[in-house]
Structure formats: C-alpha cells, structure tokens
C-alpha cells in the first residue's frame, strides 16, 4: 500500500533481487486510495517514478476524480472503469464521458485503458474514440498463473502475433495498442 513506509524500498529490493528492469513494472493505484492521503501518495509515487516504475490509476471515474491529482501526481495511465465503458453503445452521455476522458488523458500525456470490454462493437467504438488499450472478457477471462504460462508459451497469443485492435483467439491479456 502507498501508506506503507517501506514500499519503495521493498519494490527496489524485489526489482534488484529478480533482476527485473523497473520499466517492466507498472503499479495500479485506485483513486479512492490516493485521496486518503494525497500528500503521502505524491511522495511515494514520485519515489517509485524515480525508480522507473510506471503508475496507473485504476477504476478512474468511480471515486473523487480530482483533476488536481491528475495534474500533480506522476501518473502514466488512467484505467477507465467498466461502469463508463459498457453502456457507450446505447447511452450517448456515457459515450461523451468516455470520449472526453480519453481526450483529457491524451492532453495530459497519459495512456488510456478502457476496462470491461466484452464485445467487438464496443472495442471498435473505443478505438475510434482514440482509446489506447482495452481490457476485458473480449480479450480473455482471468486465469491461473499456470494457464497464463501455457498461454504465453503458445504461438497464438496477441503478443507474438503482433495483433493490434483485434483480439487474437484464445488470448488472456488485454490488447496492446
């Protein structure tokens, strides 16, 4: 947790002990959690960013949605909650919120991830709006570590096929754009 005073040191030790580049690590923080102690969160996130770790705001739009923290925190991406994404095909107001959030993220230099994508029509609409990354059941269901290892070893996954914008059959990860 961001409130853990040893978090940054523990992350640094784990990265070093596993010989993992910090650029390969992305931590997701919910906006509700950020708002509990914004000053402390800023210090911790700045230190994590200095290590080279990317920070993502998960479930964006469901909490306080303060524009101040978007301006002030070293965030890499926003993950728009499924509650906004799922109705975009039938609700023009939901679509307007998603489109403006994507535009806001891009104007701040952030990557936008849409959560809860369950069908290709929604994914194509999000792509047309400029969404960078999609995540949801369309791309794959949650799976165990063992199943993920088998999927990564397969020759049909989206990472090996280079597929962008279209989910590969049998993939378990989000599409990378």
């Amino acid at each position: 947790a961001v409130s853990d005073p040893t978090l940054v040191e523990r992350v640094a030790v784990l990265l070093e002990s596993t010989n993992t580049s910090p650029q390969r690590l992305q931590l997701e923080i919910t906006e509700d959690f950020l708002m509990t102690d914004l000053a402390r969160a800023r210090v911790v996130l700045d230190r994590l960013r200095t290590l080279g770790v990317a920070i993502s705001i998960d479930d964006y739009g469901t909490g306080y949605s303060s524009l101040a923290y978007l301006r002030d925190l070293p965030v890499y991406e926003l993950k728009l909650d499924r509650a906004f994404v799922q109705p975009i095909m039938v609700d023009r107001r939901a679509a307007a919120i998603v489109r403006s959030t994507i535009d806001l993220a891009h104007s701040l230099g952030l990557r936008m991830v849409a959560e809860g994508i369950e069908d290709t029509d929604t994914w194509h609409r999000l792509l047309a709006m400029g969404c960078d990354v999609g995540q949801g059941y369309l791309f794959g269901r949650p799976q165990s570590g063992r199943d993920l290892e088998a999927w990564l070893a397969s020759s049909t996954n989206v990472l090996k096929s280079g597929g962008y914008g279209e989910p590969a059959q049998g993939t378990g990860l989000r599409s990378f754009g």
Side-chain angles (χ1 to χ4, degrees):
V2 175
S3 59
D4 179 351
T6 66
L7 175 68
V8 177
E9 289 76 19
R10 290 184 343 175
V11 168
V13 167
L14 284 171
L15 289 169
E16 187 174 327
S17 67
T18 59
N19 199 26
T20 301
S21 168
Q23 288 73 28
R24 297 183 54 92
L25 178 62
Q26 179 174 315
L27 298 178
E28 295 182 3
I29 312 289
T30 62
E31 63 181 332
D32 283 342
F33 188 76
L34 285 174
M35 299 310 290
T36 59
D37 188 351
L38 189 57
R40 170 81 179 134
R42 178 167 180 72
V43 169
V44 171
L45 296 181
D46 280 339
R47 292 181 62 209
L48 287 168
R49 186 65 172 191
T50 299
L51 282 178
V53 174
I55 306 298
S56 177
I57 304 296
D58 194 20
D59 300 331
Y60 181 76
T62 60
Y64 296 102
S65 298
S66 171
L67 296 177
Y69 79 75
L70 289 180
R71 179 195 65 208
D72 295 337
L73 294 177
V75 175
Y76 170 71
E77 77 178 11
L78 296 180
K79 294 183 74 177
L80 189 60
D81 190 76
R82 66 186 317 113
F84 295 101
V85 172
Q86 289 182 333
I88 66 169
M89 298 304 289
V90 296
D91 183 342
R92 70 176 180 79
R93 291 172 61 109
I97 290 170
V98 169
R99 185 179 311 106
S100 63
T101 304
I102 291 169
D103 291 343
L104 173 65
H106 290 164
S107 69
L108 295 172
L110 305 176
R111 185 167 79 164
M112 176 54 67
V113 177
E115 298 179 315
I117 301 169
E118 296 184 1
D119 60 81
T120 55
D121 289 341
T122 301
W123 178 228
H124 288 287
R125 180 94 180 260
L126 288 161
L127 285 172
M129 291 178 178
C131 187
D132 301 304
V133 178
Q135 180 177 323
Y137 287 167
L138 174 65
F139 306 105
R141 303 260 179 193
Q143 54 188 291
S144 70
R146 183 175 306 209
D147 291 342
L148 179 61
E149 287 176 5
W151 177 83
L152 288 170
S154 77
S155 61
T156 60
N157 68 57
V158 72
L159 298 175
K160 290 182 180 176
S161 68
Y164 295 99
E166 289 291 334
Q169 290 298 327
T171 60
L173 296 179
R174 60 190 184 182
S175 176
F176 293 86

